[in-house]
Amino acid sequence: MNDAAPAPTPAPAPRRARVRAPELIGKGGWLNTGGKELTLADLRGRIVILDFWTFCCINCLHVLDELRELEEKHRDTVVIIGVHSPKFVHEAEHAAVVDAVERYEVHHPVLDDPELATWKQYAVRAWPTLVVIDPEGYVVAQHAGEGHAHAIARLVEELEAEHAAKGTLRRGDGPYVAPEPVATDLRFPGKALVLPSGNLLVSDSTRHQLVELEADGETVVRRIGSGERGFGPDAFSEPQGLALLPDGRVVVADTVNHALRVLDPETGAVETVAGTGRQWWQGSPTSGPALEVDLSSPWDVAWWQGRVWIAMAGVHQLWTWDPEAGTVAVAAGTTNEGLVDGPAAEAWFAQPSGLAAAGDRLWIADSETSAVRYVEPVDGGYAVRSAVGTGLFDFGHRDGDAAQALLQHPLGVTALPDGSVAVCDTYNHALRRYDPATGQVSTLATDLREPSAAVLVGEDIVVVESARHRLTRLRLPEEAVRVDAVAHRTQRAATEVAPGTLRLDVVFQAPAGQKLDTRYGPSTRLLVSSTPPELLAEGEGAGSDLFRNLVLNPAVTEGVLHVSAMAASCDDDPANEYPACHVHQQDWGVPVVVTAAGTTRLPLVLAGMDREA
């Protein structure tokens, strides 16, 4: 007789919503597969993570980096598929997607979906969005925004165990096929400056190096950095902006390391002067000792008003670094994404990516609003003004009066000797000019390929042609180039909503083993606004609940709802005195049209599945 107690019955696995995953379709075809077209049937038995991204989006670039560790650790069970879903017209060009996949070292298959076909099939509302498909072809989770890698990693481990037990997990090599490398002296260079010697220093972003060239802009003098992605004394990670300090040293925006580095051109020595190597999240310090405060994707730097100003693209702000005091601080912007002028602390930016100091103005290329803006001193503080551009959704190539002129995702600005500003109009492949004296915008040169920065060299302007992997020298023309005007608007289907009260629900489910931690107050935040502001009669502003009843103005029939949500979850273990916590956050811009037959509920998935869908 066996007196042993019977083995306990294992607890059943939590039931997940099971929705069959739609097929992957896109007119642009597949990249990184060696020419093979993939279907979901080809991926059966693997855990598939769809990453809906577009290459202009800084949050999408953050997620690419978040996924690298998971991609490496689970490469025999997980297949990540990038679904490129464009915002700008330029991003719908197949060649531009090919360039972006190499530029950002995307080492998994990518579906080029220029018409947003797969985006619509999966009801995606924002960049970036991650969708997890189990080995049997069912959608089991959706996550919008950043900060979800830990949750997805835990879900992957659960799915591996569950489907290994069921016999439905298939291990092995994935479908990724690396493209053939191309030999060039530069590879997707970002920014440039003229050294005191007359040579040019270029951030060779995709190769994680700085390159010094002779004054001809072609002959390589030396390379600085190992060429491998890293954060050591001889390593960078996708460096971008460069600025000369008064003492002759160069400050470098080490973008993906979320840090500022300083190069001594005489010795080649590199030191870190700001940032921790970690990305800034809501709730983190915004000022203090420079080496103790996190930064977020610094994209450009400029010396102005006795400090280094930083285009902090990752959080839509301008920060400063004071070399004398060794401190950093927010100088302008709220972290909300958009175009709002006024006092620096109240202004909104959208991925500021280029800076140029000129007297009492600091010029800004505000890329996602396709705008040229500037900061100027006012009454002991600073104010932000817009010169060209109207907001997140209008872009194109149109010259003339600045109030109606259009750009397309500019990344660089350069102060010219006559007081005007040259603009690297990146997605229009053009060099433009804004003249504050006349209020006119003109085109200086076309047929450039994704120009990202420019510097003056004598009477010439040297343009960084990022997607042609070279510097191009142009004589500043006396007369502007004439181009046919074209205007675009972001092409996303508007959500039809009913007049009156609209229930906004941000769906958030904490990852397994975690919970919302309210020990120190609310762990969620919701911020709502609209364009035009008159669209909302009630419901605008900040709060701690992830739901809200919005009241639409009956006099406004269309517009955009801007929703920003954040949730912090922590390990659910009472015995752990210091639980690990993670921040999940996303911004949505939801175009809406008010119709009698429209919906009365707007669900936005931050993490999990919408049970009411």
Side-chain angles (χ1 to χ4, degrees):
M1 182 177 177
N2 187 347
D3 292 331
T9 302
R15 290 184 61 83
R16 299 190 184 92
R18 287 170 66 82
V19 178
R20 178 64 72 179
E23 192 52 80
L24 306 177
I25 52 176
K27 284 196 172 180
W30 288 87
L31 306 176
N32 285 354
T33 63
K36 177 180 173 61
E37 293 195 1
L38 299 180
T39 67
L40 285 176
D42 297 327
L43 303 172
R44 196 61 51 82
R46 311 298 290 273
I47 300 163
V48 178
I49 300 172
L50 303 182
D51 176 14
F52 289 87
W53 70 298
T54 188
F55 63 79
C56 73
C57 162
I58 190 67
N59 311 91
C60 300
L61 304 186
H62 290 166
V63 167
L64 284 176
D65 287 302
E66 286 179 6
L67 292 176
R68 293 187 197 279
E69 182 179 349
L70 182 147
E71 189 170 25
E72 178 62 31
K73 183 177 179 181
H74 299 276
R75 62 171 51 253
D76 66 332
T77 58
V78 171
V79 175
I80 296 177
I81 303 287
V83 183
H84 189 268
S85 313
K87 171 188 174 181
F88 289 100
V89 169
H90 170 60
E91 292 171 327
E93 298 175 13
H94 184 70
V97 181
V98 173
D99 284 345
V101 167
E102 180 188 351
R103 180 195 297 266
Y104 297 116
E105 296 185 302
V106 179
H107 292 163
H108 51 249
V110 173
L111 174 64
D112 181 9
D113 183 17
E115 296 179 351
L116 303 183
T118 295
W119 165 288
K120 294 170 185 173
Q121 287 289 314
Y122 282 82
V124 174
R125 293 185 182 273
W127 299 276
T129 291
L130 299 169
V131 175
V132 182
I133 302 172
D134 73 12
E136 294 178 285
Y138 290 92
V139 174
V140 294
Q142 181 172 325
H143 301 263
E146 304 177 49
H148 301 293
H150 73 286
I152 292 176
R154 181 169 295 203
L155 176 57
V156 163
E157 291 172 355
E158 292 177 2
L159 291 171
E160 285 176 340
E162 176 183 337
H163 288 274
K166 291 174 66 175
T168 50
L169 184 70
R170 176 168 57 89
R171 296 180 181 270
D173 293 333
Y176 170 68
V177 178
E180 289 294 323
V182 181
T184 53
D185 286 333
L186 301 173
R187 205 70 192 163
F188 298 105
K191 306 289 186 181
L193 64 73
V194 180
L195 292 168
S197 66
N199 286 351
L200 292 158
L201 187 68
V202 183
S203 54
D204 197 17
S205 302
T206 297
R207 293 211 175 110
H208 314 296
Q209 290 181 315
L210 308 180
V211 178
E212 183 178 347
L213 303 173
E214 290 186 4
D216 61 11
E218 298 180 2
T219 306
V220 175
V221 176
R222 61 174 169 167
R223 297 182 180 276
I224 300 160
S226 66
E228 298 293 328
R229 186 189 297 271
F231 194 35
D234 189 35
F236 299 94
S237 187
E238 298 181 32
Q240 286 284 342
L242 306 168
L244 201 61
L245 296 172
D247 62 7
R249 297 183 302 159
V250 176
V251 61
V252 182
D254 196 2
T255 303
V256 178
N257 277 329
H258 310 295
L260 297 188
R261 321 290 292 281
V262 165
L263 164 72
D264 184 338
E266 296 295 324
T267 65
V270 176
E271 65 173 317
T272 302
V273 295
T276 62
R278 297 183 300 271
Q279 184 184 341
W280 184 92
W281 291 98
Q282 289 285 354
S284 301
T286 56
S287 64
L291 290 170
E292 299 176 14
V293 177
D294 300 337
L295 309 182
S296 183
S297 296
W299 207 274
D300 203 6
V301 281
W303 178 259
W304 186 62
Q305 299 270 311
R307 290 173 290 170
V308 170
W309 287 66
I310 309 163
M312 202 73 77
V315 286
H316 318 300
Q317 291 180 312
L318 303 183
W319 288 39
T320 59
W321 169 54
D322 185 338
E324 291 286 328
T327 57
V328 292
V330 173
T334 64
T335 75
N336 294 323
E337 184 178 14
L339 192 153
V340 175
D341 290 338
E346 301 172 14
W348 292 23
F349 297 96
Q351 288 178 219
S353 301
L355 300 175
D360 61 356
R361 286 186 177 179
L362 178 69
W363 293 98
I364 306 156
D366 202 28
S367 62
E368 278 292 284
T369 53
S370 297
V372 173
R373 307 174 72 186
Y374 60 91
V375 178
E376 63 180 358
V378 174
D379 299 329
Y382 295 98
V384 177
R385 317 285 188 207
S386 294
V388 185
T390 58
L392 287 165
F393 300 100
D394 292 292
F395 57 92
H397 192 151
R398 186 163 64 200
D399 287 334
D401 185 76
Q404 56 84 51
L406 294 172
L407 309 168
Q408 187 179 180
H409 199 80
L411 290 178
V413 281
T414 307
L416 299 179
D418 64 357
S420 65
V421 183
V423 183
C424 286
D425 193 6
T426 308
Y427 287 4
N428 280 327
H429 311 300
L431 188 67
R432 311 284 292 282
R433 175 176 176 263
Y434 167 66
D435 186 351
T438 64
Q440 296 292 300
V441 174
S442 57
T443 299
L444 298 176
T446 58
D447 194 32
L448 301 168
R449 188 70 186 170
E450 293 192 14
S452 55
V455 293
L456 291 173
V457 180
E459 296 182 356
D460 296 338
I461 189 166
V462 175
V463 179
V464 179
E465 275 198 272
S466 189
R468 282 201 177 110
H469 320 293
R470 71 186 189 191
L471 304 187
T472 298
R473 186 181 296 261
L474 304 172
R475 178 58 55 91
L476 283 172
E478 294 182 7
E479 293 187 5
V481 177
R482 295 192 179 277
V483 298
D484 293 329
V486 59
H488 300 292
R489 191 164 177 81
T490 299
Q491 296 302 305
R492 275 189 288 162
T495 299
E496 294 187 357
V497 297
T501 300
L502 177 66
R503 168 76 176 200
L504 171 65
D505 283 321
V506 174
V507 177
F508 177 76
Q509 295 156 10
Q514 294 196 337
K515 66 176 182 178
L516 292 174
D517 190 348
T518 58
R519 289 177 299 171
Y520 307 109
S523 58
T524 56
R525 186 190 72 156
L526 180 63
L527 178 68
V528 180
S529 62
S530 65
T531 303
E534 297 77 22
L535 175 64
L536 284 177
E538 295 179 23
E540 182 179 7
S544 58
D545 292 325
L546 292 181
F547 60 88
R548 190 174 302 175
N549 287 325
L550 309 179
V551 178
L552 303 177
N553 183 347
V556 181
T557 58
E558 63 179 317
V560 178
L561 293 174
H562 304 283
V563 180
S564 177
M566 183 273 287
S569 61
C570 299
D571 291 342
D572 187 8
D573 181 0
N576 186 353
E577 186 177 356
Y578 302 103
C581 296
H582 303 272
V583 176
H584 318 253
Q585 64 184 42
Q586 173 63 329
D587 298 325
W588 292 268
V590 184
V592 296
V593 174
V594 181
T595 65
T599 183
T600 58
R601 177 175 179 264
L602 177 61
L604 300 175
V605 177
L606 179 60
M609 299 285 284
D610 180 19
R611 305 296 181 183
E612 297 184 37

